[in-house]
Every structure is written in structure tokens, then in C-alpha cells.
Amino acid sequence: MQIDWITVAAQIANFLVLVWLLQRLLYRPIVRAMRNREAAISDRFAEAEKREAEAAREAETLKQQQLGLQQRRAAMLAQAQQEAQDLEQRLEAKAHERVAAQRAAWQRQVDRETAAFLVDLRREVAGHVGRVARRVLGDLADVRLEEAMADTFITRLNGLTGKTLDNLRAEAEAGGRITVTSAFDLPDPVRNRLRKAVCAVLHEEAQPDFLRDAQIGCGIQLKVRGQTLHWNVNAYLDDLEKEIGAWMGREDGQEAAE
Amino acid sequence: MGLTPDTWIVVMLGPVPINATIFFTWVVMALLVLSALVVRLRLSQTGDLTAAQNFWEALVETMRTQIREVSGQEPGPYLPFVGTLFVFIAVSNILAVVPGFQPPTGSLSTTTALAICVLIAVPLFGLARRGVGTYLRSYIQPTPLMAPFNIIGEISRTLALAIRLYGNVMSGTVIAGILISIAPFFFPILMQLLGLLTGVIQAYIFAILAMVYIASATHEHHGADAAKGD
């Protein structure tokens, strides 16, 4: 084991040269490159954090905008629903009004037709009743309807009392025109009997005029100016009309219910 | 086979004989400078690194970390010296597996030269960092009577540094030669592989101890502990 001091000196020189070379060629450039890269990475991190913060802010802004849009959308939807509901109610009310108006018009039409029908029916029934009664009385009892009606009328005229009789007499004595109206022509005997009965009850010099009017129905009517006494089948026809009217009302109600 | 390559004259540069120690030192230096030039020429400042740059960056960063941990200081001023110690010794020891290569670190002259470098560098770093007065006062701590012992300790640890590295590298080379003569097959290969490991470890130990000595000189409290430990 020996030390060659010349070699030692040479090695010291070699080592110092190597230190200088590596410092210039290796350590300094590499450290500088690493620092630059670290700085670049730090810059990128800072930039990334900045962008992340910006993205977060934008995300928050978008979130707020979205929330606002949702709220506006909900408000608009609620308003639209309310308007639709109001419109529905208005249309429904209008439809109800229209239906009610049509129903009322229809009801009036029905009432008019019913009234017209009843008038026709009344006339037809009265004529028919008269004809039937005439035939029945003629066939079964050999009695003429006009005579029977005249008898009944005379009986009622004779049985008059009170205010009605007084009013009739007052009008007749005052010279009022006395008319006896029937729906059909009365035979002369019947007319004579009626004339006598009128003279006996109202005024001795009374000269009743005999008129024919199919509108009064089956019966006889005595009229002295404003005072009237009549007997006919209208009362029966009124009952019949009431029953038919009630029956038709029930039918209408059932149809409406159905 | 001699115990030192100092006696093996490889080439004559005129009248100057170049022994194996100096010659193979130049080889190692040439390899290192060539590698540094390759890295320098293709140095990338961005993330696209070459393999060589990647290797050297990892090595340099590791050395900087070690220096920072040992000294507790920024590694900038110490990296060239300590890093070159490690790189030179490690490459020399690793190249020992190449047939015909005589590692310069197997020469006591080389290790002495490196130890002398450390011996000189330690007070230089101490003076540069702490100032002349403060540094010189550390030799008379705790009392002026300790000054001779501190100086002897400084020299003896440098001597130990040189002898340790020389002994390990030289013994590895000698053992490999002996084993080749006794058992020429297989076993020397294993010893060479083991030599690779011990060579790198020796480089690490040498560089770390140098850094410890420098740290003890540049840092007052740590200096006392390191001197006791050594």
C-alpha cells in the first residue's frame, strides 16, 4: 500500500476539473430545467385553479339562471293553468247559459205547442162529445141533445137567485140586448121554450136573439150586455185539459230525466 | 496483479508516464462528460424528456434531497462537490465489472486525493458560510485546550474516509482476483454482482460522510454531534 503523490495531485486536479465540468454541463442545466418545469407546472396549476374557480363561478351563475328559469317557468305554468281554468269556467258558464236558453226556448216552444194542441183537442173533443152525446141520447133515450141542454139551461135559469139574477134583470130591464148563443142551431120549439123561460125570469118583454157560435163549445150561453149566464161542457173540458196537461207534464219530466 | 493501479503504466504522453489510475480516471471523466453533453444538447424544458435526461434528473433530485436532509440547508452550493464525489466513485466502482477496467477508486492515491479534497472543502464551506472568526472559534470549543484534538480529529476522519473507500474497493478487486484463481466459474460472477452493490453503497457512504463533515462545519450544533459520531 503506497501513495503516489504525483498521482494524488493529478487526481485532485482531475476531480476539480470534473466538478467544474459537471457543474457547467450537468447540474446547473438540469436544475435550471427542473426549476423551469416546476415553474411551468405551478403556472399550469395556478391557471387550472383559476379556470376551475371561473368554471365554478360560471356553474354557480348558470345554476342561478337555471333556478330563475325554473321559477319563471313554474310561475308561467301556474298562470297558464289559472287562465285555462278561468277560460274553462267561462266557457262552461257560457255553455250552461246557452243550454239554459235553448232549454227555455224549447220549453216555450213545447208550451206553445201544448197550448195549441190543447186548444185543438178541446175543440175536437167538444165537437166529438157533442156528437156522441147527441147520438147516445137519441139512440138510447130518444132525447135530442139540444132539448136536453135547453132543459138543463132552463132549469139553471129558473134556479137563479141572488146577485146574478139581479144583475141580469137589471140589464134586461135597462133595455140591454139579450142574446142566446149555442154551438149549433136550435130548433124552433126549443127556441120558444128558451124565449119563454127568459121572459119569465128576466123581463116579460124580452126578445132574445139566438146566435150560433161553435167556439163556445157544447152548451148554451145567455148574455145581457156585460152579464153572462152559460152552461156548457167547458167545465168538463177544463178538467179534461188539466188532466191531459198534467199527464203531458209528467211525460216531459220523464223525457228530460232520461 | 498489483494491489494498486498506480504502478501500471498504461501509456506514455511524451516523457510523462500515465498510470492506470489516471488513465481510467480520464475514462470515467470522459464518460460522464459525454453523458452530460448528450443530456445538455437535448435538454428539454418541457415535460417531453429523453431517457438520459430523465435518469440524470432523478439522480440529481435524489442527491439534492439527500443533501437537504443531511445538512438541513439548501443543496445548491454543495451539489457540485458532493454530487461529483458520488457520481465519480459510483461510476468507477460500477465499471469494475468491465473486464480490463481498473477502478481508480481502488488506488489509495485516488481515495487520498478525494479525501484531501474533502479535507480542504470542509473548512472552505465552513468559512464561506459562517465567516472566518466564527469558524475558527469552533476549533477551540469547548476550551482552547481542545484545539489540537479537534485538528487531529479533522485529519483522522479524512484519513479514515480515504482508507475506507480504498480498502473496500481494493479488497473487492483482490477478492475477485483470488476467487478467479481458485474457482474460475460462476462464483466470481456472483462476487462481481455483489461488488456492484457494494460499490454504489461505498459511493453513497463516501458522499454522505463528506456531506456530514461539511454540514458539521457549516452548522454549529450539528457539527459537534457529527464530530462525536465520527
Side-chain angles (χ1 to χ4, degrees), chain A residues 62-74:
Chain A
L62 286 175
K63 191 177 175 184
Q64 294 296 332
Q65 289 178 351
Q66 193 177 14
L67 195 62
L69 284 174
Q70 285 178 348
Q71 288 175 346
R72 280 204 296 276
R73 178 171 167 269

mmCIF file of all heavy atoms in Angstrom, chain A residues 62-74:
data_model
loop_
_atom_site.group_PDB
_atom_site.id
_atom_site.type_symbol
_atom_site.label_atom_id
_atom_site.label_comp_id
_atom_site.label_asym_id
_atom_site.label_seq_id
_atom_site.Cartn_x
_atom_site.Cartn_y
_atom_site.Cartn_z
ATOM 1 N N LEU A 62 -74.806 29.817 -13.831
ATOM 2 C CA LEU A 62 -75.749 29.025 -14.631
ATOM 3 C C LEU A 62 -76.808 28.372 -13.749
ATOM 4 O O LEU A 62 -77.982 28.282 -14.120
ATOM 5 C CB LEU A 62 -74.987 27.946 -15.414
ATOM 6 C CG LEU A 62 -74.179 28.452 -16.607
ATOM 7 C CD1 LEU A 62 -73.368 27.313 -17.220
ATOM 8 C CD2 LEU A 62 -75.112 29.020 -17.667
ATOM 9 N N LYS A 63 -76.355 27.935 -12.583
ATOM 10 C CA LYS A 63 -77.299 27.301 -11.665
ATOM 11 C C LYS A 63 -78.372 28.297 -11.234
ATOM 12 O O LYS A 63 -79.568 27.975 -11.196
ATOM 13 C CB LYS A 63 -76.526 26.783 -10.451
ATOM 14 C CG LYS A 63 -77.325 25.886 -9.548
ATOM 15 C CD LYS A 63 -76.429 25.381 -8.428
ATOM 16 C CE LYS A 63 -77.232 24.562 -7.435
ATOM 17 N NZ LYS A 63 -76.395 24.143 -6.301
ATOM 18 N N GLN A 64 -77.897 29.525 -10.917
ATOM 19 C CA GLN A 64 -78.857 30.560 -10.518
ATOM 20 C C GLN A 64 -79.804 30.875 -11.672
ATOM 21 O O GLN A 64 -81.021 31.020 -11.478
ATOM 22 C CB GLN A 64 -78.111 31.825 -10.088
ATOM 23 C CG GLN A 64 -77.286 31.652 -8.820
ATOM 24 C CD GLN A 64 -78.137 31.340 -7.612
ATOM 25 O OE1 GLN A 64 -79.299 31.740 -7.552
ATOM 26 N NE2 GLN A 64 -77.599 30.577 -6.676
ATOM 27 N N GLN A 65 -79.223 30.989 -12.890
ATOM 28 C CA GLN A 65 -80.075 31.269 -14.042
ATOM 29 C C GLN A 65 -81.081 30.155 -14.260
ATOM 30 O O GLN A 65 -82.261 30.399 -14.548
ATOM 31 C CB GLN A 65 -79.212 31.446 -15.292
ATOM 32 C CG GLN A 65 -78.412 32.747 -15.292
ATOM 33 C CD GLN A 65 -77.534 32.862 -16.509
ATOM 34 O OE1 GLN A 65 -77.407 31.898 -17.265
ATOM 35 N NE2 GLN A 65 -76.928 34.019 -16.712
ATOM 36 N N GLN A 66 -80.597 28.924 -14.126
ATOM 37 C CA GLN A 66 -81.488 27.784 -14.317
ATOM 38 C C GLN A 66 -82.604 27.794 -13.277
ATOM 39 O O GLN A 66 -83.773 27.530 -13.585
ATOM 40 C CB GLN A 66 -80.676 26.499 -14.218
ATOM 41 C CG GLN A 66 -81.426 25.273 -14.710
ATOM 42 C CD GLN A 66 -80.542 24.044 -14.666
ATOM 43 O OE1 GLN A 66 -79.494 24.056 -14.055
ATOM 44 N NE2 GLN A 66 -80.965 22.986 -15.324
ATOM 45 N N LEU A 67 -82.184 28.140 -12.032
ATOM 46 C CA LEU A 67 -83.181 28.207 -10.964
ATOM 47 C C LEU A 67 -84.222 29.276 -11.284
ATOM 48 O O LEU A 67 -85.434 29.079 -11.119
ATOM 49 C CB LEU A 67 -82.472 28.510 -9.651
ATOM 50 C CG LEU A 67 -83.269 28.266 -8.373
ATOM 51 C CD1 LEU A 67 -83.638 26.804 -8.256
ATOM 52 C CD2 LEU A 67 -82.460 28.680 -7.162
ATOM 53 N N GLY A 68 -83.710 30.453 -11.754
ATOM 54 C CA GLY A 68 -84.629 31.526 -12.129
ATOM 55 C C GLY A 68 -85.558 31.104 -13.249
ATOM 56 O O GLY A 68 -86.772 31.388 -13.215
ATOM 57 N N LEU A 69 -84.975 30.409 -14.242
ATOM 58 C CA LEU A 69 -85.806 29.943 -15.355
ATOM 59 C C LEU A 69 -86.869 28.966 -14.875
ATOM 60 O O LEU A 69 -88.034 29.016 -15.310
ATOM 61 C CB LEU A 69 -84.920 29.270 -16.405
ATOM 62 C CG LEU A 69 -84.108 30.207 -17.296
ATOM 63 C CD1 LEU A 69 -83.176 29.405 -18.189
ATOM 64 C CD2 LEU A 69 -85.035 31.036 -18.169
ATOM 65 N N GLN A 70 -86.450 28.082 -13.984
ATOM 66 C CA GLN A 70 -87.423 27.116 -13.461
ATOM 67 C C GLN A 70 -88.543 27.826 -12.704
ATOM 68 O O GLN A 70 -89.722 27.473 -12.837
ATOM 69 C CB GLN A 70 -86.718 26.128 -12.548
ATOM 70 C CG GLN A 70 -85.874 25.096 -13.304
ATOM 71 C CD GLN A 70 -85.152 24.158 -12.368
ATOM 72 O OE1 GLN A 70 -85.104 24.399 -11.172
ATOM 73 N NE2 GLN A 70 -84.590 23.102 -12.921
ATOM 74 N N GLN A 71 -88.136 28.847 -11.923
ATOM 75 C CA GLN A 71 -89.163 29.571 -11.173
ATOM 76 C C GLN A 71 -90.102 30.310 -12.115
ATOM 77 O O GLN A 71 -91.332 30.280 -11.934
ATOM 78 C CB GLN A 71 -88.483 30.552 -10.215
ATOM 79 C CG GLN A 71 -87.791 29.863 -9.040
ATOM 80 C CD GLN A 71 -87.021 30.835 -8.183
ATOM 81 O OE1 GLN A 71 -86.788 31.959 -8.604
ATOM 82 N NE2 GLN A 71 -86.613 30.403 -6.999
ATOM 83 N N ARG A 72 -89.491 30.972 -13.150
ATOM 84 C CA ARG A 72 -90.344 31.672 -14.117
ATOM 85 C C ARG A 72 -91.247 30.695 -14.853
ATOM 86 O O ARG A 72 -92.413 30.965 -15.094
ATOM 87 C CB ARG A 72 -89.468 32.450 -15.110
ATOM 88 C CG ARG A 72 -88.966 33.766 -14.559
ATOM 89 C CD ARG A 72 -88.630 34.737 -15.679
ATOM 90 N NE ARG A 72 -87.546 34.273 -16.496
ATOM 91 C CZ ARG A 72 -86.257 34.444 -16.204
ATOM 92 N NH1 ARG A 72 -85.935 35.085 -15.114
ATOM 93 N NH2 ARG A 72 -85.323 34.010 -16.997
ATOM 94 N N ARG A 73 -90.655 29.528 -15.194
ATOM 95 C CA ARG A 73 -91.435 28.516 -15.902
ATOM 96 C C ARG A 73 -92.603 28.039 -15.043
ATOM 97 O O ARG A 73 -93.742 27.918 -15.514
ATOM 98 C CB ARG A 73 -90.519 27.339 -16.244
ATOM 99 C CG ARG A 73 -91.199 26.192 -16.928
ATOM 100 C CD ARG A 73 -90.162 25.175 -17.416
ATOM 101 N NE ARG A 73 -90.785 23.923 -17.809
ATOM 102 C CZ ARG A 73 -90.957 22.917 -16.979
ATOM 103 N NH1 ARG A 73 -90.557 23.010 -15.729
ATOM 104 N NH2 ARG A 73 -91.531 21.815 -17.401
ATOM 105 N N ALA A 74 -92.296 27.828 -13.745
ATOM 106 C CA ALA A 74 -93.359 27.380 -12.845
ATOM 107 C C ALA A 74 -94.444 28.443 -12.718
ATOM 108 O O ALA A 74 -95.649 28.148 -12.724
ATOM 109 C CB ALA A 74 -92.764 27.051 -11.474
#
